[in-house]
Coordinates of all heavy atoms in Angstrom, one line a residue:
E846 N -40.0 19.7 -18.6 CA -41.2 19.5 -17.8 C -40.8 19.4 -16.3 O -41.5 20.0 -15.4 CB -42.0 18.3 -18.2 CG -43.3 18.1 -17.5 CD -44.0 16.8 -17.9 OE1 -43.9 16.5 -19.1 OE2 -44.6 16.2 -17.0
A847 N -39.8 18.6 -16.0 CA -39.4 18.3 -14.7 C -38.9 19.6 -14.0 O -39.1 19.9 -12.9 CB -38.3 17.2 -14.6
L848 N -38.1 20.4 -14.9 CA -37.7 21.7 -14.3 C -38.8 22.7 -14.0 O -38.9 23.3 -12.9 CB -36.7 22.4 -15.2 CG -35.3 21.7 -15.4 CD1 -34.5 22.3 -16.6 CD2 -34.5 21.8 -14.1
A849 N -39.8 22.7 -14.9 CA -40.8 23.5 -14.6 C -41.7 23.2 -13.5 O -42.3 24.0 -12.8 CB -41.7 23.7 -15.9
R850 N -41.9 21.9 -13.2 CA -42.7 21.5 -12.2 C -42.3 21.9 -10.9 O -43.1 22.2 -9.9 CB -42.7 19.9 -12.2 CG -43.9 19.4 -11.3 CD -44.1 17.9 -11.5 NE -44.4 17.5 -12.9 CZ -44.1 16.5 -13.5 NH1 -43.5 15.4 -12.9 NH2 -44.5 16.1 -14.7
G851 N -40.9 21.9 -10.5 CA -40.5 22.3 -9.2 C -39.9 23.7 -9.1 O -39.6 24.1 -8.0
N852 N -39.8 24.4 -10.2 CA -39.2 25.7 -10.1 C -40.3 26.7 -9.9 O -41.0 26.9 -10.8 CB -38.4 25.9 -11.5 CG -37.7 27.3 -11.5 OD1 -37.7 28.0 -10.4 ND2 -37.2 27.7 -12.6
T853 N -40.2 27.4 -8.8 CA -41.2 28.5 -8.5 C -40.5 29.8 -8.6 O -41.1 30.9 -8.3 CB -41.7 28.3 -7.1 OG1 -40.7 28.2 -6.2 CG2 -42.5 27.0 -7.1
L854 N -39.3 29.9 -9.1 CA -38.6 31.3 -9.2 C -39.4 32.1 -10.2 O -39.7 31.5 -11.3 CB -37.2 30.9 -9.5 CG -36.4 30.3 -8.4 CD1 -35.0 30.1 -9.0 CD2 -36.4 31.1 -7.1
R855 N -39.4 33.3 -10.1 CA -40.1 34.2 -10.8 C -39.1 34.9 -11.9 O -39.4 35.9 -12.6 CB -40.9 35.2 -10.1 CG -41.9 34.4 -9.4 CD -43.2 35.4 -9.1 NE -44.0 34.8 -8.1 CZ -44.9 33.7 -8.2 NH1 -44.8 33.2 -9.5 NH2 -45.7 33.5 -7.4
H856 N -37.8 34.7 -11.8 CA -36.8 35.2 -12.7 C -36.0 34.1 -13.5 O -36.1 33.0 -13.1 CB -35.9 36.1 -11.9 CG -35.1 35.3 -10.9 ND1 -35.7 35.0 -9.6 CD2 -33.9 34.7 -10.9 CE1 -34.7 34.4 -8.9 NE2 -33.7 34.3 -9.6
P857 N -35.3 34.4 -14.6 CA -34.6 33.5 -15.3 C -33.5 32.7 -14.4 O -32.9 33.3 -13.4 CB -33.8 34.3 -16.4 CG -34.7 35.7 -16.4 CD -35.1 35.8 -15.1
T858 N -33.3 31.5 -14.7 CA -32.4 30.8 -14.0 C -31.3 30.3 -14.7 O -31.3 30.5 -16.1 CB -33.0 29.5 -13.3 OG1 -33.6 28.8 -14.4 CG2 -33.9 29.8 -12.3
C859 N -30.1 29.8 -14.2 CA -28.9 29.4 -15.1 C -29.0 28.0 -15.2 O -28.8 27.2 -14.4 CB -27.8 29.8 -14.2 SG -26.2 29.4 -15.0
V860 N -29.5 27.6 -16.5 CA -29.5 26.2 -16.8 C -28.7 26.0 -18.2 O -29.0 26.7 -19.2 CB -30.9 25.7 -17.0 CG1 -31.0 24.1 -17.5 CG2 -31.8 25.9 -15.7
H861 N -27.8 25.1 -18.2 CA -27.2 24.8 -19.3 C -27.6 23.3 -19.9 O -27.6 22.4 -19.0 CB -25.6 24.8 -19.1 CG -25.0 26.0 -18.6 ND1 -24.8 27.0 -19.5 CD2 -24.8 26.4 -17.5 CE1 -24.4 28.1 -18.7 NE2 -24.4 27.7 -17.5
R862 N -27.9 23.2 -21.1 CA -28.2 21.9 -21.7 C -27.0 21.4 -22.5 O -26.5 22.2 -23.3 CB -29.4 22.0 -22.5 CG -30.7 22.3 -21.7 CD -32.0 22.7 -22.5 NE -33.1 22.8 -21.6 CZ -33.4 23.8 -20.8 NH1 -32.5 24.8 -20.7 NH2 -34.5 23.8 -20.2
V863 N -26.5 20.2 -22.2 CA -25.3 19.6 -22.8 C -25.9 18.3 -23.6 O -26.5 17.5 -23.0 CB -24.1 19.4 -22.0 CG1 -23.7 20.8 -21.5 CG2 -24.5 18.6 -20.9

Side-chain angles (χ1 to χ4, degrees):
E846 181 183 327
L848 287 172
R850 192 173 299 154
N852 180 12
T853 59
L854 297 173
R855 302 205 189 290
H856 61 275
T858 53
C859 185
V860 178
H861 301 279
R862 287 165 177 80
V863 297

